[in-house]
Amino acid sequence: MSGHSSYEFSNPVVKWLDSRLPIVTMVKAQAMDFPTPKNLNYWWTFGGILATMLVIQLITGIVLVMHYTPHVDMAFDSVEHIRRDVNYGNIIQKLHANGASFFFIAVYIHMFRGLYYGSYKAPREVLWMIGVAIFLAMMATGFMGYVLPWGQMSFWGAKVITNLFSAIPFFGEAIVTWLWGGFSVDNATLQRFFSLHYLLPFVLCALVFLHVWALHVSGNGNPVGVEVKSGQDTVSFHPYYTMKDLFAILVFLLFLFGFVFFSPDYLGHPINYVEANPLVTPAHIVPEWYYLPFYAILRSIPDKLLGVVAMFASILILFILPWLDTSKVRSATYRPRYRQLFWILVVVCLGLGVCGAQPAEGGWVIASRILTAWYFLHFLVFLPLLGLFETPKPLPSSISESVLAKQAAKSTAAAQPAE
Ligand code: HEM
């Protein structure tokens, strides 16, 4: 079925429309018949999960805006009003707040899947780079969204993060004043953050469109990492992967709704239930959990400017990752040394997250420094060198060979008499 480019439609209305705007042909070719490697595992369902999360955030966000007031005197109360008075308001608000966290859980899994299977390598470099742009846009959107309820952490988080720009030589102070729209975080700041928080998700949609477009040019990678031979190694996207993705999406949503209904505040900060007060600084200002590793990198360096540079560099470095990794082999399954490094990187990132949540003092700062150093060494030194010196395991000649070899191994094991 895969690979068709023209269809005969029996429905006359569809036929009429499609001959004028071949949208049905496009959907059929790109979303139904699209040849997809037959060995994709569940880590490949996170793209679909992410698309679902984006839609949930958009819908809940648009409903929230119907009742929210972006003004310093009313923002906090309007969110309380949504939670208490608006029909289903509590669920919609909690779905949006926890949805942001789950969006980030999914994106981190999606990115680490890419790192493990070398999804960023040729011919998927642009696909990966658009992904990094998506990640940046998500971070900006999440940051500005968190300011909107105008709680204590919203206000002080905004102050700390925008103040980072004051570290830029010569123009720093002017940039911060420009970002704030005045001489402090105030109504002008809240209103511009609201405006951008509404705008950016649509930029995100455009970036996701480009991302999926690039994906459909290069085709999916796969866990084995060898090129697919069309026909022999592929199945049509529908029904095989539509059903698998749907199942994964539903399981993921079970967890999300578990939080929304049973522990809606677990991922938030209690202090954000106190209205913003510029005269009372909270004892401990921490960002949302999904920014913690980057916050730890920022604070690990004693110099403010260098800290800001390191924090941004830790994300921007991902843009050039396809050229930093010199190995010809994509999947970590066939790269034993890289696999070890990958798991160390996972632990390093989790460790940075833990450090980011602690006060910047004593052993936590030392731990953050060591982990930050490892993070940069991983990308700038270990990856380029490893590709040159590592001996990968022999690759199967096709994904069919790899699938059949696994099946043969299973049936041999089953045929062996138990000892
Ligand atoms: C809203 C956010 C995102 C959405 C909706 C999205 C969507 C998708 C979808 C539907 C796929 C195909 C299925 C799959 O492989 O899971 C995919 C693949 C991919 N995505 Fe994303 N993505 C997002 C963010 C990102 C980010 C942040 C990165 C990296 C920084 C990234 C990198 C990739 C790569 C490299 C592939 C190809 C994987 C392969 O086939 O080997 N994506 N994405």
Side-chain angles (χ1 to χ4, degrees):
M1 271 300 283
S2 54
H4 284 212
S5 56
S6 61
Y7 303 97
E8 273 303 314
F9 298 104
S10 47
N11 183 320
V13 179
V14 173
K15 195 172 177 175
W16 179 88
L17 172 70
D18 204 72
S19 59
R20 283 152 183 84
L21 179 71
I23 195 160
V24 187
T25 300
M26 193 195 79
V27 169
K28 195 155 163 46
Q30 299 297 324
M32 296 176 76
D33 297 346
F34 188 67
T36 314
K38 60 185 175 189
N39 62 340
L40 297 189
N41 55 32
Y42 271 102
W43 300 117
W44 262 261
T45 59
F46 279 86
I49 290 173
L50 281 163
T52 310
M53 288 313 303
L54 181 57
V55 172
I56 290 180
Q57 291 306 91
L58 279 170
I59 295 175
T60 50
I62 287 169
V63 178
L64 287 173
V65 171
M66 295 172 187
H67 306 276
Y68 170 78
T69 313
H71 189 284
V72 285
D73 293 337
M74 285 175 275
F76 186 83
D77 289 341
S78 71
V79 177
E80 267 316 292
H81 158 71
I82 293 171
R83 288 192 190 117
R84 289 160 193 256
D85 309 326
V86 173
N87 287 346
Y88 304 106
N90 199 27
I91 296 178
I92 294 167
Q93 193 267 330
K94 288 302 170 201
L95 193 52
H96 196 74
N98 285 279
S101 273
F102 274 70
F103 204 169
F104 274 95
I105 293 176
V107 90
Y108 282 130
I109 295 177
H110 190 65
M111 290 169 76
F112 276 99
R113 182 285 313 263
L115 292 180
Y116 187 87
Y117 291 111
S119 305
Y120 47 83
K121 290 189 190 210
R124 294 183 189 81
E125 302 96 320
V126 173
L127 169 61
W128 170 264
M129 289 161 82
I130 298 170
V132 181
I134 290 177
F135 181 54
L136 280 172
M138 277 178 68
M139 292 188 100
T141 310
F143 165 65
M144 287 189 255
Y146 194 62
V147 178
L148 303 186
W150 208 241
Q152 270 291 67
M153 205 57 99
S154 306
F155 177 87
W156 289 97
K159 196 163 176 116
V160 169
I161 301 300
T162 47
N163 243 324
L164 294 177
F165 290 90
S166 68
I168 298 170
F170 307 117
F171 311 107
E173 294 295 338
I175 292 175
V176 173
T177 311
W178 178 71
L179 287 175
W180 288 347
F183 297 102
S184 61
V185 173
D186 210 329
N187 200 40
T189 327
L190 177 62
Q191 295 204 336
R192 62 191 50 199
F193 278 21
F194 171 66
S195 168
L196 293 174
H197 181 70
Y198 207 141
L199 171 74
L200 276 178
F202 295 98
V203 174
L204 211 51
C205 288
L207 288 170
V208 169
F209 176 78
L210 293 179
H211 190 63
V212 175
W213 184 2
L215 174 79
H216 281 232
V217 172
S218 61
N220 285 95
N222 67 81
V224 178
V226 296
E227 294 302 327
V228 289
K229 299 190 175 103
S230 197
Q232 165 196 343
D233 289 342
T234 59
V235 288
S236 57
F237 186 75
H238 178 73
Y240 297 101
Y241 286 108
T242 40
M243 290 303 120
K244 186 169 179 169
D245 279 1
L246 188 64
F247 176 67
I249 290 166
L250 290 176
V251 172
F252 190 81
L253 291 185
L254 269 184
F255 284 99
L256 169 58
F257 279 99
F259 271 85
V260 171
F261 288 120
F262 298 108
S263 202
D265 294 317
Y266 184 77
L267 297 166
H269 297 294
I271 199 171
N272 226 28
Y273 278 107
V274 177
E275 190 169 2
N277 184 349
L279 301 178
V280 179
T281 315
H284 191 37
I285 302 173
V286 269
E288 291 287 83
W289 70 265
Y290 34 86
Y291 300 122
L292 289 174
F294 304 101
Y295 195 51
I297 293 178
L298 168 81
R299 297 188 308 174
S300 69
I301 296 174
D303 180 85
K304 188 173 173 187
L305 178 61
L306 287 182
V308 174
V309 170
M311 182 179 72
F312 281 108
S314 65
I315 303 172
L316 297 180
I317 205 172
L318 296 175
F319 274 114
I320 54 165
L321 173 62
W323 296 275
L324 291 173
D325 184 350
T326 47
S327 171
K328 293 274 172 286
V329 176
R330 292 196 187 98
S331 173
T333 314
Y334 299 95
R335 300 184 60 192
R337 292 278 161 267
Y338 174 68
R339 198 160 62 226
Q340 289 168 345
L341 276 184
F342 169 85
W343 287 114
I344 295 175
L345 183 71
V346 172
V347 173
V348 165
C349 292
L350 292 174
L352 280 169
V354 173
C355 293
Q358 307 302 324
E361 56 195 30
W364 294 113
V365 178
I366 299 169
S368 306
R369 282 188 191 151
I370 297 170
L371 296 172
T372 301
W374 185 279
Y375 181 92
F376 283 104
L377 283 173
H378 174 94
F379 289 106
L380 294 175
V381 179
F382 302 153
L383 273 192
L385 290 181
L386 193 66
L388 304 177
F389 297 112
E390 185 186 40
T391 318
K393 289 206 254 171
L395 288 172
S397 62
S398 70
I399 65 171
S400 292
E401 186 190 302
S402 132
V403 172
L404 294 175
K406 263 189 215 148
Q407 275 174 0
K410 263 191 210 152
S411 41
T412 324
Q416 300 262 320
E419 288 183 13

